[in-house]
Amino acid sequence: MAAVAALADLKRERPEWGPWLAVVEEALSDADAPIWDAAVPVDLRAPQVNAPVLAGTTAAVESRTVRRLLQRLIGVASRSGTPEMATLKSVRDADLDPLALFRASLCQDRRPTGEAAASCGADAGALEAVIALLCLPFLRACHRRWAPSVPAGWREGYCPLCAAWPAFAETRGIERTRFFRCGRCGGEWHARPLHCAYCGVDDHHALVSLVPQEQGMNAVIEGCRRCQGYVKTFTRLQGCSPGTVMLDDLASVALDVAALEQGFNRPHGPGYPLDVTVTGRNSARRFLAWNA
């Protein structure tokens, strides 16, 4: 798998990232699990012009599956050795609602995670980073099913499936066609050239390109002086696989640092409120046992 190889490369190139990459690996290990496919919403509401596919849907997930993934992520993170992640040990035995945290992860709602951290005495930033990974397997399953349903004419700056802002952009092939990529679901969508993904400004005087000093990187940082947002853009023959988008984003953190040093930033939260309803679903195994 491309993701396995990319993760191995990243571990080798950045051994100091080992503790966090172990948490990412735990989340990715569930990315192709069939159990998440059963949770993908089947009935979608009538599409709106700028509404992502998942907006307003209902996701029925197994509480037990979510809880187990949450416990695994928290367990790996709390053993990472960093002081902030070590505070998550108090979360492992806490009576937290896994479905509420799953919804917070899916909708990029920081409030429930902050409240959970405060109730457990855990570091809020550390718990937020871990909870952000909780919905990843579900969103990968949504991408497998609903990627063909993405409108071809989608031109918003946020992901047409899950409303996330782009992890980066790709300028592909001889035609230099530009695509945004989502680090959560792995999706892609056409990106308008000379437009800010965040505020939509198309005044070329407000748009800047920062070229990294590192040779052979084939990347630029595209910034907006109006909203101070930025997007990393890579020139490639073809797009990366859905499973490696998040890892490519991590591997290019030097570009993020350079953008931050120049006063640019990525906005927090989704580009569009998903307002997903999350409900519990009994497993098939328990259902069959009840009928036995």
Side-chain angles (χ1 to χ4, degrees):
M1 291 177 57
V4 174
L7 186 59
D9 289 342
L10 202 51
K11 285 181 177 180
R12 183 172 58 255
E13 295 168 5
R14 292 289 190 134
E16 70 276 15
W17 291 359
W20 176 244
L21 292 178
V23 184
V24 173
E25 184 174 21
E26 195 65 44
L28 290 177
S29 68
D30 254 29
D32 297 319
I35 195 169
W36 294 102
D37 292 284
V40 176
V42 176
D43 297 321
L44 303 180
R45 70 181 186 182
Q48 299 180 17
V49 175
N50 63 341
V53 172
L54 289 177
T57 59
T58 296
V61 298
E62 287 189 11
S63 179
R64 181 173 58 178
T65 299
V66 176
R67 184 182 296 277
R68 286 176 175 174
L69 177 58
L70 176 62
Q71 290 176 339
R72 284 160 45 203
L73 294 175
I74 293 296
V76 173
S78 64
R79 296 191 296 269
S80 68
T82 65
E84 294 79 10
M85 288 295 179
T87 66
L88 299 183
K89 293 178 180 179
S90 62
V91 178
R92 289 185 296 182
D93 300 322
D95 185 22
L96 300 178
D97 184 349
L99 295 186
L101 292 177
F102 177 85
R103 185 185 185 279
S105 175
L106 182 59
C107 297
Q108 300 185 63
D109 182 359
R110 305 169 73 179
R111 182 183 55 80
T113 305
E115 293 175 351
S119 68
C120 298
D123 182 86
L127 184 58
E128 183 179 334
V130 172
I131 295 302
L133 299 174
L134 187 59
C135 69
L136 188 147
F138 169 76
L139 287 177
R140 295 291 172 83
C142 290
H143 176 264
R144 288 192 293 272
R145 177 174 296 182
W146 293 118
S149 301
V150 172
W154 184 268
R155 290 295 183 269
E156 302 296 336
Y158 48 85
C159 176
L161 179 65
C162 72
W165 293 113
F168 52 78
E170 293 174 328
T171 301
R172 301 178 188 167
I174 300 175
E175 300 84 2
R176 298 185 63 81
T177 307
R178 192 165 181 260
F179 292 85
F180 285 138
R181 300 303 304 270
C182 178
R184 301 206 314 158
C185 69
E188 64 177 51
W189 65 102
H190 283 281
R192 293 180 292 173
L194 300 177
H195 275 76
C196 175
Y198 310 114
C199 69
V201 67
D202 59 358
D203 180 1
H204 69 276
H205 294 293
L207 303 174
V208 298
S209 294
L210 308 177
V211 181
Q213 294 180 347
E214 184 177 344
Q215 297 297 317
M217 197 167 188
N218 294 325
V220 298
I221 301 168
E222 298 180 343
C224 175
R225 289 196 177 103
R226 176 176 161 184
C227 68
Q228 293 303 114
Y230 77 93
V231 175
K232 301 178 290 190
T233 300
F234 303 103
T235 300
R236 294 171 166 168
L237 291 177
Q238 58 185 11
C240 66
S241 70
T244 63
V245 177
M246 182 175 64
L247 299 175
D248 282 5
D249 185 28
L250 282 173
S252 57
V253 69
L255 296 176
D256 297 292
V257 173
L260 292 171
E261 289 176 344
Q262 295 299 317
F264 296 99
N265 56 75
R266 288 180 177 179
H268 291 292
Y272 187 100
L274 282 185
D275 194 26
V276 175
T277 300
V278 176
T279 62
R281 177 174 59 85
N282 292 327
S283 67
R285 179 179 299 176
R286 292 176 64 184
F287 180 80
L288 292 174
W290 181 79
N291 279 279

